[in-house]
Amino acid sequence: MTLTTYEPTIVDDEELVETQVRTSIPVRDGIEVGPRRNMRSARLEDRYAFFGALAGGLAIATLLFGWIAPLTGAVGFVVVAFLSFIGIYALLVRTTSDGREVTDRVMTVVLASAGVILFGALLFVVAFAMLRGWPALLHVNFFFQDMEFAGPLDGLDVGGVAHAIVGTLIQIGIALAISIPLGILTALFLNEVGGRFARFVRTIVDAMTALPSIVAGLFVYSAIILVFTHQRSGFAAALAITVMMLPIIVRASDVVLRLVAGNLREASYALGASRWRTVWHVVLPTARSGLVTAVILGTARGIGETSPVLLTSGITNVMNTNPFHGPMISLPLQVFDFVRSPEPNIVARGFGTAAVLLLLVLALFAIARVIGGRGAGTLSPRQQRAARNASARDAERMDAAAARRETSAEAEASVARATSAHPATSEPPLEEPQ
């Protein structure tokens, strides 16, 4: 197979002529092509190696803990079985592959095992709290009553944690209302303005990330309660939670905003946009999903705090919806108060409260993901319908404008024909004055 191309060349008289050049493409017939490998599924030998190594690891651990060595304990059994599994798996893969693929397979198994361990730990925590608190969760009054008329010896059909749920929502709402604007604005200052003071602020934020929670509670207790309010309240607890959430949100938002490509800002500046218009219409929409993740991380840090809330909010058994007056308990503090009791029903209420806290956190995270989890430029179904309707209106307007132009063109043409048919009736052009 040959291709004919033409290249312009310059001759002595500076004239361009076309010279024919033949380019040959090698023939691919007869070249062996290996079988395609499905990257989404494991090969048969890989499955044999995995399950064989798994059986060998369990067998070695069983022999060591049951027959050969005086070893005991479930944790040790799992560790020995896992290490034996990794070693046997590497040997089995090495029989059919080279060293590079052995390293790839072993690291894949190690990383997948880390993910399984993490998910298993989370599942164990949630399941343990749900099982221990299931007797309390079965009663509807647990979600809609407080502990005002419930004693330590009363059954689970009396009392609930409605006051703790309301207190948690109020406190975390106030903390988010303070932390989100301050955190995102601080991150924008660190990235868009910069300077020496920005480096100082970044250093302080990094130091506050590792701040012990009890220190935040002591700070709010000494600076707010002892000086101004002279009483524990939900607002003081919200301020203590804010101190814990703010550095997390600032640090995570700072990292996310750094990932926004600089050419997006340059393109906006090239179109004549100002700095803050670029931030509002380019930087923030691009980093929206990352900023939502930063807020989620801050919320996860603040909603489960107990030490600062213990010092600032106080403990109460009644409903209090006023964050500025009187003690207001939260779910973590209610769990701490319940599990200290020796009564089984109170302890069951404590684990039920922990399960409610976990479910509340999962619900808040799901809502945050739905609101801001879409990437930049991704429209919601409502926004897509609005865009389609706007496009339809634009098309109708353009069709109407085209129809008006055609009508005016026809009118002008008819006037021109009438004028050419009766030239005597046309007015002579005006003469300019001398």
Side-chain angles (χ1 to χ4, degrees), residues 51-412:
F51 289 107
L54 184 62
L58 292 176
I60 291 176
T62 303
L63 288 175
L64 290 177
F65 278 77
W67 297 88
I68 301 175
L71 302 177
T72 57
V75 177
F77 180 87
V78 173
V79 172
V80 171
F82 180 75
L83 295 178
S84 303
F85 161 73
I86 294 296
I88 297 174
Y89 183 73
L91 292 176
L92 293 178
V93 175
R94 187 68 179 86
T95 58
T96 58
S97 306
D98 55 0
R100 183 170 53 185
E101 188 168 355
V102 171
T103 303
D104 177 70
R105 294 292 178 182
V106 171
M107 291 305 300
T108 301
V109 170
V110 170
L111 295 178
S113 301
V116 170
I117 292 172
L118 180 62
F119 178 76
L122 178 61
L123 185 63
F124 173 76
V125 171
V126 176
F128 184 78
M130 293 290 291
L131 291 176
R132 292 292 301 272
W134 189 252
L137 295 175
L138 291 176
H139 296 80
V140 181
N141 58 279
F142 184 74
F143 301 95
F144 299 101
Q145 294 182 4
D146 54 25
M147 296 295 294
E148 183 178 3
F149 301 106
L153 299 179
D154 291 331
L156 296 176
D157 55 344
V158 179
V161 292
H163 59 303
I165 297 175
V166 173
T168 297
L169 294 177
I170 292 175
Q171 293 175 12
I172 201 66
I174 296 174
L176 287 175
I178 300 174
S179 300
I180 292 177
L182 285 180
I184 295 179
L185 289 177
T186 303
L188 289 174
F189 167 75
L190 296 178
N191 284 272
E192 303 298 329
V193 178
R196 295 182 178 178
F197 186 67
R199 290 194 294 269
F200 173 75
V201 172
R202 185 175 282 112
T203 303
I204 296 300
V205 169
D206 292 339
M208 289 184 62
T209 304
L211 183 71
S213 58
I214 192 66
V215 176
L218 288 174
F219 168 74
V220 174
Y221 180 78
S222 59
I224 303 299
I225 296 178
L226 296 182
V227 177
F228 296 102
T229 62
H230 303 290
Q231 64 174 349
R232 293 180 173 87
S233 62
F235 181 72
L239 292 180
I241 295 174
T242 302
V243 175
M244 301 304 303
M245 293 173 53
L246 192 58
I248 304 297
I249 295 178
V250 173
R251 193 71 182 91
S253 301
D254 182 24
V255 173
V256 170
L257 293 176
R258 286 186 184 183
L259 298 178
V260 178
N263 54 8
L264 295 178
R265 297 182 177 90
E266 295 173 359
S268 179
Y269 295 150
L271 293 175
S274 62
R275 172 186 291 180
W276 299 114
R277 191 174 183 85
T278 300
V279 169
W280 183 258
H281 292 283
V282 177
V283 177
L284 290 180
T286 304
R288 179 178 56 186
S289 59
L291 295 177
V292 170
T293 303
V295 173
I296 288 175
L297 291 175
T299 305
R301 176 68 186 273
I303 200 170
E305 290 292 342
T306 305
S307 299
V309 178
L310 177 63
L311 295 173
T312 54
S313 70
I315 298 177
T316 180
N317 291 327
V318 299
M319 179 73 71
N320 181 17
T321 58
N322 185 2
F324 299 99
H325 180 73
M328 176 185 289
I329 198 169
S330 62
L331 287 173
L333 188 56
Q334 187 69 77
V335 173
F336 173 75
D337 185 53
F338 277 154
V339 297
R340 293 188 302 169
S341 174
E343 296 297 329
N345 288 338
I346 300 297
V347 175
R349 287 191 180 97
F351 281 99
T353 306
V356 171
L357 179 60
L358 292 174
L359 296 177
L360 178 62
V361 171
L362 292 177
L364 292 177
F365 285 2
I367 293 173
R369 280 299 183 187
V370 170
I371 294 175
R374 298 186 304 272
T378 304
L379 302 180
S380 63
R382 182 183 60 82
Q383 292 173 337
Q384 293 177 3
R385 289 193 299 269
R388 287 195 296 267
N389 295 333
S391 299
R393 290 193 299 269
D394 293 339
E396 293 176 358
R397 187 172 64 253
M398 295 174 65
D399 293 340
R404 287 195 300 268
R405 286 194 299 268
E406 292 178 358
T407 303
S408 61
E410 293 176 356
E412 291 177 359

